[in-house]
Amino acid sequence: MSCNTQATQVHVDEDSGARRLVVNSRDLDGARDVSYEFLRREYSFDHVTVTDVINRLSENPLGPYLTCVPSSVRELVEQFPFFSVAHLRAIAQIHGVSLHGRLQRGMCKDALRLHDCEGSCPSVSYVFHVLKRPRHNYIFVPDLHRPSNSYSNECYMKAKENTKKQRQRRAANALEGLAPVGPPAEPPLVSPFPPVQSFAAKREIIREWQVEMSPDHLQEGVCAVCVQIFAAELLVDVVPSKEMLLTLNNNWLPAETRPRTYDIAKYEGAILCCHGMSCLGNIGDLRMCLCCRRSLSSPKPRQPKDAIANFQYYGVSELPVDVKSALACASQFELQLIALARATVITHHYQTKG
């Protein structure tokens, strides 16, 4: 710690039982260093001020005050344990540190220990006053615990205040005979933010992330009934029954537009997507999403509304060559007109029950 005085040598004399600081002045100008041990023994904190407004006439050796500039706020509050709550709040205010109205002394001290002075902090000096009786027998114990953040301290104080109000309310109700006084509720434990995880918890988080982001977990598949894309783990292979396949028929579709990518006769004329089928030439498992499987696996199978058999089968691969070429040469407005007419039919059948 450096002291802003024009002196180079300091010693202490005794005069009528009182301690006073004597400075041997020299012609050299500069700053000198004072140990925290000497400061704890000989001085008490007076106030904090901006360097530009210090009255030089009241400083040592002309006055009883010793003006010091520490290397950091954390070092000062850790090495000088005699700050009161009012002192800590004054230091926090001049450094722009916001403190809750009812924080305890240790919590205010932790907030200053976590503060890192930047360019926005003004040039601050700490003024100490010499003691009449030094602290000879004081044993200094440094703060070795990790400072808690202001958010956790504020949550703890708010919970404590709420508990105090609840106790007062119970006591008032008990006096009025409205409710008995129960055991006082303990303030909830507020975990530090962010919570400190154990090594086992960190390893479990990493393992879970690896499972979620593995290539096997990110695979996708197609539902054979509604042709929607889902994660592979959400699709289930279902052995189709005859009732299921008959439910997925659409007799309104012309025979020439029906799919030929699989043996539609063996699948009872069901309109399906070949990408969700395990076998195209014979009856095999069908990959279904949860919604389609629920509709088709009921005692009375019903056609899912999202099924392509419900007039949502486009049959692009089965279109004649001239129609394919016409669609390829169609303008954007012509395609929108076709889609608009198609949407009217789809909406009508989509809302039809049965």
Side-chain angles (χ1 to χ4, degrees), residues 260-292:
R260 292 190 290 269
T261 53
Y262 60 93
D263 194 341
I264 191 172
K266 291 187 177 181
Y267 280 92
E268 304 295 338
I271 307 299
L272 302 170
C273 176
C274 61
H275 298 290
M277 304 170 64
S278 61
C279 183
L280 302 179
N282 203 348
I283 296 293
D285 295 342
L286 301 179
R287 306 191 74 182
M288 297 185 187
C289 62
L290 179 61
C291 182
C292 295

Side-chain angles (χ1 to χ4, degrees), residues 237-305:
D237 292 335
V238 179
V239 179
S241 62
K242 186 176 181 180
E243 291 78 8
M244 291 183 184
L245 297 176
L246 292 176
T247 305
L248 296 175
N249 271 266
N250 190 335
N251 298 325
W252 292 85
L253 296 177
E256 60 272 13
T257 61
R258 299 193 178 190
R260 292 190 290 269
T261 53
Y262 60 93
D263 194 341
I264 191 172
K266 291 187 177 181
Y267 280 92
E268 304 295 338
I271 307 299
L272 302 170
C273 176
C274 61
H275 298 290
M277 304 170 64
S278 61
C279 183
L280 302 179
N282 203 348
I283 296 293
D285 295 342
L286 301 179
R287 306 191 74 182
M288 297 185 187
C289 62
L290 179 61
C291 182
C292 295
R293 183 169 61 90
R294 186 186 299 115
S295 300
L296 295 173
S297 300
S298 59
K300 292 183 178 181
R302 50 190 176 85
Q303 189 179 96
K305 290 187 176 182

Side-chain angles (χ1 to χ4, degrees), residues 56-323:
R56 297 294 181 181
L57 297 178
S58 62
E59 285 187 326
N60 178 278
L62 300 179
Y65 296 104
L66 182 67
T67 305
C68 301
V69 179
S71 59
S72 66
V73 181
R74 175 168 184 167
E75 177 188 281
L76 179 65
V77 298
E78 287 181 349
Q79 295 295 329
F80 193 80
F82 304 109
F83 288 114
S84 63
V85 177
H87 295 159
L88 295 174
R89 289 189 178 277
I91 296 173
Q93 182 179 5
I94 205 168
H95 280 277
V97 179
S98 178
L99 297 179
H100 188 262
R102 296 187 180 181
L103 287 183
Q104 300 174 357
R105 178 179 175 276
M107 298 177 180
C108 297
K109 189 175 180 180
D110 287 345
L112 291 175
R113 290 175 65 192
L114 293 173
H115 176 67
D116 187 12
C117 289
E118 299 177 352
S120 58
C121 291
S123 179
V124 178
S125 296
Y126 301 87
V127 182
F128 294 84
H129 192 281
V130 65
L131 291 171
K132 292 183 178 180
R133 294 183 180 180
R135 308 180 185 96
H136 281 302
N137 299 325
Y138 177 76
I139 300 176
F140 173 66
V141 180
D143 289 327
L144 300 179
H145 70 279
R146 183 178 180 181
S148 57
N149 56 61
S150 301
Y151 177 78
S152 300
N153 292 334
E154 290 179 6
C155 292
Y156 174 79
M157 293 304 300
K158 290 179 181 179
K160 192 174 181 180
E161 291 175 4
N162 294 335
T163 304
K164 183 178 179 181
K165 292 180 181 178
Q166 291 177 1
R167 291 176 179 174
Q168 294 175 352
R169 194 179 299 113
R170 290 195 191 98
N173 293 338
L175 292 177
E176 296 177 2
L178 299 179
V181 180
E186 295 294 333
L189 297 177
V190 180
S191 59
F193 181 82
V196 180
Q197 300 289 348
S198 62
F199 180 77
K202 294 178 182 178
R203 184 171 56 185
E204 182 64 22
I205 292 173
I206 295 174
R207 188 197 63 79
E208 182 180 352
W209 181 86
Q210 290 176 339
V211 172
E212 292 292 334
M213 300 303 295
S214 63
D216 297 336
H217 187 76
L218 298 178
Q219 290 182 356
E220 295 179 336
V222 179
C223 176
V225 179
C226 63
V227 202
Q228 297 187 41
I229 299 176
F230 295 91
E233 60 181 7
L234 299 179
L235 297 173
V236 180
D237 292 335
V238 179
V239 179
S241 62
K242 186 176 181 180
E243 291 78 8
M244 291 183 184
L245 297 176
L246 292 176
T247 305
L248 296 175
N249 271 266
N250 190 335
N251 298 325
W252 292 85
L253 296 177
E256 60 272 13
T257 61
R258 299 193 178 190
R260 292 190 290 269
T261 53
Y262 60 93
D263 194 341
I264 191 172
K266 291 187 177 181
Y267 280 92
E268 304 295 338
I271 307 299
L272 302 170
C273 176
C274 61
H275 298 290
M277 304 170 64
S278 61
C279 183
L280 302 179
N282 203 348
I283 296 293
D285 295 342
L286 301 179
R287 306 191 74 182
M288 297 185 187
C289 62
L290 179 61
C291 182
C292 295
R293 183 169 61 90
R294 186 186 299 115
S295 300
L296 295 173
S297 300
S298 59
K300 292 183 178 181
R302 50 190 176 85
Q303 189 179 96
K305 290 187 176 182
D306 289 333
I308 58 175
N310 187 18
F311 292 92
Q312 300 186 56
Y313 168 69
Y314 300 103
V316 178
S317 59
E318 315 302 335
L319 292 175
V321 178
D322 55 345
V323 177

